[in-house]
Amino acid sequence: LAARQSDSPLSLKQLSLGITLCLLTMGSYAQSLVDDKPSNNTFSLAGVVICVDPRDEALVQQAAKCLQQDIEMVTGVKPSISSGITQQPVIIIGTLASSSLIKAAGKERKLPLTALQNKWEGYLIQTAGNRIVIAGSDRRGAAYGVFELSKQLGISPWYWWADVPVIKKKDLYIKKGVTLTDAPKVKYRGIFINDEAPALSGWSKEKFGGFNHLFYEKVFELILRLKGNYLWPAMWGNAFYDDDSLNIKMADRYGIVIGTSHHEPLMRAHDEWRRYGKGKWNYDSNEVKLKEFWRGGMQRATNEKIVSIGMRGDGDEPMSRQTATALLERIVKDQRQIIEEVTRKPASETPQLWALYKEVQDYYDKGMRVPDDVTLLLCDDNWGNIRKLPKPDETPRKGGYGIYYHFDYVGGPRNYKWLNTNPIARVWEQMHLAWEYKAREIWIVNVGDIKPMEFPISFFLDYAWNPDAIGPADLQRYTERWAARQFGAAYASQIADIISRYTKYNGRRKPELLDANTYSLATYEWEKVVDDYNELLKKATAIGQALPAASQDAYFQLVLHPVKACANLYEMYYNVALNKAANAHDLPGANIYADKVKELYANDSIITAQYHSLNNGKWNQMMSQTHIGYTYWQQPNRQSMPEVKYMTGTNASRLPDGGEKDVKVASIPASVTGHVFYEVELSGVSIGADHYTRAINTPDIKWQVLSDHGRTGAAITPFPVTAKPQKPGGNSPHLEYDIYTFGKGEASINAYFSPTLNFHNTAEGLQYAISVDDEAPQIISINKEDSNVRTWEKWVANNIIIKTSSHVISQPGRHVVKYWMVSPAVVVQKLVVKTGKQEDSYLGPPETRLNRD
Ligand code: REL
C-alpha cells in the first residue's frame, strides 16, 4: 500500500535554479537598516531630529508625527520635529515634488532620486553620515518609507490594534551606507470593514462613540503601516461621509483612498438612502431622485477616491429579473455624466470600479460593458474562491482588473464572521492566480471586524505590495517572520506553526458550520481532530507561559484565543456526538457526556470574557459574535447549547468499561463491525497528492507542491498557472503513484480538490484526467455543475470538491495511478483508491503510508 517518492525527482539544473530563485526571493525582503550594537558602520539615533518641509503634504507631516511617537515608544525620548536641518543626527522626510529638503539632499548627496520619478507610491531610504533621508515619489511613498523604518525599529503595525509590545532600547543604531528603494506592484490595496455588528460596532461605540474620525484615525494609521492605501468603510447602518464630517478630513490627512462598497454607487453609503432617499431604489421609476442622491455623494467626496458605479437592488440584493442590460448601461452612462459635471473633468480622470459581484457577473457574461477606463472588480464567491479572471489573450483594458476577496462573510451557506478561518496557503494560491492573470489594479478584502483577522490582513497587503517576493515555498517563512515581529525570534517558528495549524483546522469547516455530525465517530475521526486541537492548545499554552508578561495580551489575541476557543468548541461537539451515540445504542455514559457539553458550552463564554477583559477591557465586545446555535445561514439572535439527552438508570452516569471507545465502536454500522481495522486497510489506499512516486514535467510545465495547502496535508498543481490546457497521455505532465492492492476488480478513485472555480467560464470547467496502469486517461471536470447552488454550497461548506472515477484493477499487486494535468490551476490534495467498502468520514481516510524507504 505504498506511494513511494523517487529518490531524485529534481535534476541538478532544476536544483540550482531553485537555489537561485530562493536567494532572489529572500533578497526581496527589505534590507535591514538597523543594527543591535554600535560599530564603525553605524550611527546612533540619540538626540535625533526629524526634519520636514512645512509646505510638504499633510500626510508627510502626519507620518513624521507617527515616527516621533514611535521613536519615543522605543527609547523613551521624544525627538523634535523641525523645518530645517539644524543638527545631527537627522531624519529628513519628504516628497520629491513638495519638499525643499529632499531637493537639497538630492543635489548634495547625489541621491538616486530619478528612480522615483513618476513612480506610484515609491520610496527611497538612504543612510549616510549621521542622517537618514526618506524620499517619497508621492505622499504615500514618503509615508511607506517612514513606516518601513518604524517597522525595522521594532514597531509592529499591530502595536495598537493587537497590543504588540514595543521592546524598549536605550539607543538605536542605524547602519551607514544603506540604500533601500521599493514601490508596490498592485496599485490599490485595501480592506473592507463589513458585517461589523455586533462586535466592532459595539466596541467602537464604547471606545470612540461610534464610527467617527477618532475610530477611523486608528484604522487609517493601521492601513498605512501595513502599506495599504484603500478602504471601504463600515456600512451596516453606518455612513462614512454622513456620520461624521471629519471622517473625510482624517482620510485626507492619512492619504487613504476611500471607496464605497460594491453595491453603493457614487460615494453614497447604502444607509443614506434609508435616511434621506425619496421613493424607491428603482431607476425605472425613480431616476430623478436617484440622480440627485448620487450627485450629492459626488459633490461631497472631494477626497481621493475610487467611485463604485453600476447599480444592484436595494440593500445588496439583485435587481429584478427583468432588469435589462440596456437599462444598466444607461445607469452607468448617467452616473458618469454626474461624475463629469461634478468634477468638471472627463469621467475617465476619476478612478472608478464596476464590481462583478454575484449576479452582476451574469450581466457582464451576457454582454454588458462599461467604458474602458473603469476597473472591472472581479470577485470571489464570498468564500475565497475567485469566480472570474481575465483570459491571457484578452485585450488589456485601460482601467484594468481588480479583485474583491473575503475573509468574512454574511450569507449562504452560512455566515462566517467569528474567528480567522483563512489559511494563507489558499489565499496565496488564489491571489497568485489573480496576479498571474493580470488582475492587478485593485485588491480589496472583506475583513469583517478587522480583529481577529490580523494575520491574514498582514499577508494580503504584503502580498499585494509585491507578489513576486512571496513564492509558494515562502509561506512558512513569511509566517515565522510575522510571528517574530510580534513576539521576537525565540519562539517564532513554533508560533508560526500554531498559526498555520489552527487556520488549517478552521479552514476545514467554518466553526459556525460545525456540529456533532461533522466528523465521524466510527472511524475515530472525531477523536483525532479533537486530540489534534487539544495538542495544539497544549503547545500554544506552553509557549504563552514562556513569553514575557508584556506579550501576553498580544499573544492571547493573535494566537492563543482562536486555539483555545476552537479546541473547546470541537470538544463540545464531540461530546454531543458521544451523547447521541450513547443514547442511540443504549450505552453507558450518556449523562457524563451531556454534563461535559454543558461545561464546555459555559466555558465558551468564559473564553470570550477572557478576551474582553484583556488590557483593562480595551477589547470589550470584540468577540461578541454569536457562533453556537446556527440553524440556517443567518446567525441566531443568541447562542444556544446543542441539544443533549439524559438517560435514566445508573449506567447513564458511568463511563463504559472501554471508555469512549465502546461508544464509537457501537456506532460503526453492523456491516463492518468486527473487521473494521482490517477492512479500512484492505479496502483501499489513501495518498497525499504531493507524495507522488514520479513527477513527469515538461520543459514548460512543472509540478509545484503547495505546502500546507488544503484540509489535511499539502497539495500539488501544475505551474505556471497560466499554462495552456494539455491533452493527457504519453509524456504530457502527470504524476504517478505506485500502489499495492490486495484485491482486484472494480475500483474507484476519489480525487480531492481545493474548490477552485471555473474562472474562465468555459463550457467544460476545469479538468483533470486519471488512469490506472495502461488505461486511457479519463477526463473529468471538477466544476461542471457549479451553476447548481446546492453543489456549490457543499463545496464551500466542506471546503473541498471530490470527484470519483471508476476503474478496473486487473489483479492484486502493484499498480500505477496516473493523475494528469488537463487545465491549469487545478489543485489536488489527495487521492483515495477504493477497492472495497470504506466507512465515510469528513476528511476521507488518513494517508496509508507504508514502506517509504
Ligand atoms: O460580503 C459582501 O460583499 C456583501 O454581502 C456586503 O457587501 C453587503 O454590503 C452586506 O454587508 C450588507 O449589505
Side-chain angles (χ1 to χ4, degrees):
L1 282 81
R4 206 184 293 255
Q5 189 120 23
S6 74
D7 289 336
S8 162
L10 283 178
S11 70
L12 219 57
K13 205 166 135 203
Q14 282 170 318
L15 206 66
S16 72
L17 178 75
I19 293 170
T20 320
L21 280 177
C22 174
L23 289 175
L24 283 176
T25 320
M26 275 159 55
S28 55
Y29 283 109
Q31 219 180 325
S32 113
L33 298 159
V34 182
D35 235 334
D36 288 346
K37 292 187 203 78
S39 74
N40 285 346
N41 296 326
T42 64
F43 63 93
S44 148
L45 274 194
V48 72
V49 173
I50 300 170
C51 284
V52 193
D53 183 336
R55 278 156 307 183
D56 208 342
E57 306 263 2
L59 173 55
V60 178
Q61 319 290 335
Q62 184 54 48
K65 279 192 201 144
C66 291
L67 184 61
Q68 180 185 39
Q69 169 215 282
D70 291 357
I71 293 176
E72 187 185 7
M73 282 199 286
V74 181
T75 62
V77 181
K78 185 176 186 172
S80 55
I81 298 184
S82 148
S83 57
I85 305 163
T86 50
Q87 65 182 83
Q88 307 274 356
V90 68
I91 304 174
I92 305 167
I93 306 168
T95 57
L96 278 194
S98 310
S99 171
S100 55
L101 299 173
I102 293 295
K103 280 182 195 145
K107 275 196 201 131
E108 197 187 308
R109 307 229 146 227
K110 300 200 181 57
L111 294 178
L113 293 178
T114 40
L116 286 183
Q117 223 97 47
N118 302 323
K119 268 245 151 79
W120 173 264
E121 299 177 347
Y123 66 80
L124 175 140
I125 306 179
Q126 196 180 66
T127 64
N130 264 3
R131 63 167 73 186
I132 306 176
V133 180
I134 303 177
S137 63
D138 51 30
R139 59 183 181 151
R140 281 192 292 272
Y144 295 144
V146 168
F147 287 123
E148 176 58 38
L149 174 63
S150 273
K151 197 157 89 178
Q152 294 207 20
L153 295 178
I155 317 290
S156 159
W158 296 101
Y159 79 97
W160 189 87
W161 276 94
D163 302 322
V164 176
V166 174
I167 308 292
K168 305 263 184 280
K169 288 177 191 154
K170 276 220 180 74
D171 204 351
L172 292 164
Y173 306 103
I174 302 296
K175 290 181 188 164
K176 290 181 188 165
V178 179
T179 304
L180 201 163
T181 50
D182 211 350
K185 297 264 170 76
V186 173
K187 190 168 182 186
Y188 294 102
R189 309 165 304 282
I191 60 172
F192 177 20
I193 301 176
N194 191 221
D195 310 332
E196 62 268 19
L200 190 71
S201 299
W203 173 82
S204 73
K205 197 156 192 213
E206 180 182 313
K207 307 297 175 192
F208 297 96
F211 291 104
N212 54 26
H213 68 286
L214 299 172
F215 163 81
Y216 277 113
E217 176 162 26
K218 294 290 181 203
V219 177
F220 296 148
E221 185 191 323
L222 173 71
I223 294 176
L224 274 187
R225 284 181 187 270
L226 293 167
K227 299 207 181 111
N229 59 6
Y230 182 39
L231 174 78
W232 288 358
M235 46 71 67
W236 269 30
N238 301 303
F240 182 79
Y241 288 93
D242 196 47
D243 289 342
D244 180 352
S245 58
L246 295 180
N247 281 349
I248 171 178
K249 296 216 160 52
M250 200 55 93
D252 260 339
R253 190 195 296 172
Y254 281 83
I256 297 297
V257 182
I258 299 294
T260 42
S261 76
H262 57 91
H263 64 105
E264 300 177 301
L266 273 74
M267 306 309 290
R268 278 287 200 182
H270 175 256
D271 204 61
E272 291 183 80
W273 184 253
R274 192 186 56 77
R275 295 177 194 181
Y276 313 115
K278 298 199 176 74
K280 285 208 164 126
W281 181 264
N282 180 322
Y283 207 72
D284 253 341
S285 63
N286 201 13
E287 177 179 329
V288 175
K289 292 286 176 226
L290 277 162
K291 276 185 177 164
E292 223 171 79
F293 178 69
W294 288 335
R295 185 177 298 276
M298 281 307 295
Q299 281 164 339
R300 192 180 49 182
T302 50
N303 57 318
E304 190 176 353
K305 58 194 168 289
I306 303 177
V307 180
S308 300
I309 60 166
M311 187 175 182
R312 295 189 69 213
D314 200 358
D316 195 32
E317 292 294 327
M319 296 263 242
S320 74
R321 275 178 181 281
Q322 298 75 33
T323 310
T325 300
L327 172 67
L328 278 167
E329 285 182 342
R330 179 158 70 83
I331 294 173
V332 169
K333 197 161 154 271
D334 294 352
Q335 289 173 335
R336 283 173 61 90
Q337 194 178 333
I338 296 173
I339 293 173
E340 286 200 349
E341 286 166 6
V342 175
T343 60
R344 302 214 180 107
K345 286 190 292 196
S348 60
E349 288 179 27
T350 299
Q352 292 150 61
L353 64 81
W354 182 41
L356 303 190
Y357 184 74
K358 286 191 177 165
E359 82 292 344
V360 183
Q361 187 176 306
D362 302 338
Y363 287 105
Y364 179 83
D365 288 340
K366 284 183 195 135
M368 177 177 165
R369 290 295 177 266
V370 294
D372 200 50
D373 58 275
V374 176
T375 302
L376 290 189
L377 191 68
L378 308 171
C379 299
D380 70 355
D381 58 354
N382 298 307
W383 287 72
N385 311 303
I386 293 176
R387 293 181 67 204
K388 189 177 201 64
L389 286 170
K391 298 208 172 92
D393 53 359
E394 218 143 87
T395 331
R397 314 181 64 261
K398 187 165 165 255
Y401 299 86
I403 298 288
Y404 170 36
Y405 200 75
H406 284 75
F407 290 160
D408 164 294
Y409 181 55
V410 165
R414 191 147 295 186
N415 296 353
Y416 60 96
K417 50 187 306 224
W418 176 41
L419 295 181
N420 171 25
T421 58
N422 308 284
I424 62 162
R426 177 64 170 169
V427 180
W428 181 89
E429 185 268 328
Q430 287 290 289
M431 296 313 293
H432 171 70
L433 285 184
W435 174 250
E436 292 296 323
Y437 281 99
K438 303 209 164 39
R440 300 178 170 186
E441 196 69 12
I442 302 174
W443 285 11
I444 182 150
V445 57
N446 189 325
V447 299
D449 300 307
I450 301 181
K451 289 174 82 62
M453 300 300 170
E454 296 92 341
F455 178 58
I457 292 175
S458 284
F459 176 73
F460 189 85
L461 295 177
D462 280 341
Y463 191 51
W465 179 269
N466 185 1
D468 292 327
I470 308 179
D474 296 328
L475 298 181
Q476 193 56 20
R477 193 163 32 154
Y478 174 86
T479 313
E480 279 176 33
R481 280 176 166 258
W482 189 85
R485 286 209 189 288
Q486 327 305 327
F487 305 108
Y491 296 98
S493 75
Q494 288 102 312
I495 294 174
D497 192 56
I498 295 168
I499 295 173
S500 314
R501 221 114 287 282
Y502 96 72
T503 49
K504 188 180 195 73
Y505 296 165
N506 285 355
R508 288 172 176 169
R509 193 168 185 86
K510 311 286 184 193
E512 291 85 343
L513 274 160
L514 267 187
D515 63 29
N517 303 321
T518 303
Y519 293 99
S520 115
L521 274 182
T523 61
Y524 294 84
E525 188 183 35
W526 246 131
E527 187 179 357
K528 170 94 175 76
V529 290
V530 168
D531 283 354
D532 285 351
Y533 238 127
N534 283 332
E535 198 48 42
L536 194 63
L537 178 58
K538 250 198 233 154
K539 281 189 197 152
T541 309
I543 288 170
Q545 281 159 355
L547 288 174
S551 291
Q552 294 301 322
D553 287 344
Y555 187 72
F556 193 83
Q557 291 162 60
L558 299 174
V559 185
L560 190 55
H561 172 260
V563 180
K564 208 170 175 182
C566 280
N568 187 74
L569 195 78
Y570 264 68
E571 182 108 42
M572 182 187 78
Y573 284 120
Y574 174 48
N575 276 279
V576 178
L578 289 171
N579 171 268
K580 273 189 174 176
N583 269 288
H585 302 284
D586 200 15
L587 281 159
N591 298 358
I592 294 179
Y593 303 130
D595 285 347
K596 190 90 187 145
V597 172
K598 278 190 177 164
E599 183 192 318
L600 293 160
Y601 177 72
N603 199 36
D604 178 83
S605 303
I606 294 170
I607 296 168
T608 302
Q610 209 178 339
Y611 195 115
H612 289 168
S613 68
L614 293 175
N615 200 355
N616 298 320
K618 181 173 172 189
W619 303 110
N620 192 27
Q621 308 201 43
M622 202 47 122
M623 282 302 126
S624 55
Q625 177 59 51
T626 46
H627 49 272
I628 305 176
Y630 273 78
T631 52
Y632 71 120
W633 70 266
Q634 185 57 292
Q635 68 191 38
N637 287 337
R638 67 176 77 88
Q639 304 238 114
S640 54
M641 197 186 90
E643 197 185 45
V644 287
K645 279 202 189 111
Y646 282 86
M647 291 169 76
T648 50
T650 46
N651 251 357
S653 298
R654 70 164 183 86
L655 273 179
D657 299 335
E660 291 157 10
K661 274 201 168 63
D662 278 5
V663 182
K664 280 169 275 177
V665 172
S667 67
I668 298 169
S671 57
V672 286
T673 313
H675 300 291
V676 63
F677 304 112
Y678 301 106
E679 284 285 348
V680 169
E681 294 265 314
L682 287 172
S683 59
V685 186
S686 171
I687 313 165
D690 57 318
H691 293 148
Y692 53 82
T693 320
R694 287 168 296 278
I696 289 73
N697 296 316
T698 64
D700 298 331
I701 299 174
K702 308 257 175 295
W703 289 97
Q704 174 66 51
V705 170
L706 303 176
S707 307
D708 211 22
H709 179 116
R711 300 194 313 177
T712 42
I716 191 162
T717 192
F719 260 32
V721 292
T722 47
K724 290 211 163 54
Q726 300 290 303
K727 190 172 173 312
N731 281 328
S732 80
H734 67 279
L735 296 166
E736 294 186 351
Y737 302 85
D738 289 352
I739 61 162
Y740 192 95
T741 62
F742 291 105
K744 63 171 190 170
E746 286 184 0
S748 62
I749 300 179
N750 281 352
Y752 290 60
F753 299 96
S754 303
T756 308
L757 301 179
N758 181 10
F759 56 83
H760 283 152
N761 200 17
T762 56
E764 61 282 3
L766 298 175
Q767 295 174 310
Y768 72 104
I770 193 132
S771 56
V772 178
D773 298 332
D774 294 327
E775 283 176 352
Q778 301 175 38
I779 298 182
I780 299 171
S781 167
I782 69 163
N783 47 23
K784 214 161 175 181
E785 338 86 299
D786 65 357
S787 54
N788 178 338
V789 76
R790 294 278 161 256
T791 309
W792 169 82
E793 283 184 349
K794 199 166 136 197
W795 295 345
V796 296
N798 298 346
N799 200 13
I800 204 84
I801 295 177
I802 304 176
K803 301 306 290 185
T804 307
S805 50
S806 303
H807 306 264
V808 176
I809 305 276
S810 49
Q811 58 200 16
R814 275 185 190 286
H815 297 279
V816 182
V817 172
K818 296 175 188 168
Y819 171 87
W820 305 82
M821 170 191 176
V822 179
S823 316
V826 175
V827 178
V828 62
Q829 299 182 15
K830 150 167 171 164
L831 298 169
V832 178
V833 184
K834 288 168 108 179
T835 49
K837 190 167 173 48
Q838 283 176 358
E839 189 58 26
D840 285 342
S841 60
Y842 183 69
L843 298 171
E847 192 162 21
T848 12
R849 277 197 199 214
L850 289 179
N851 200 6
R852 285 212 157 272
D853 307 323

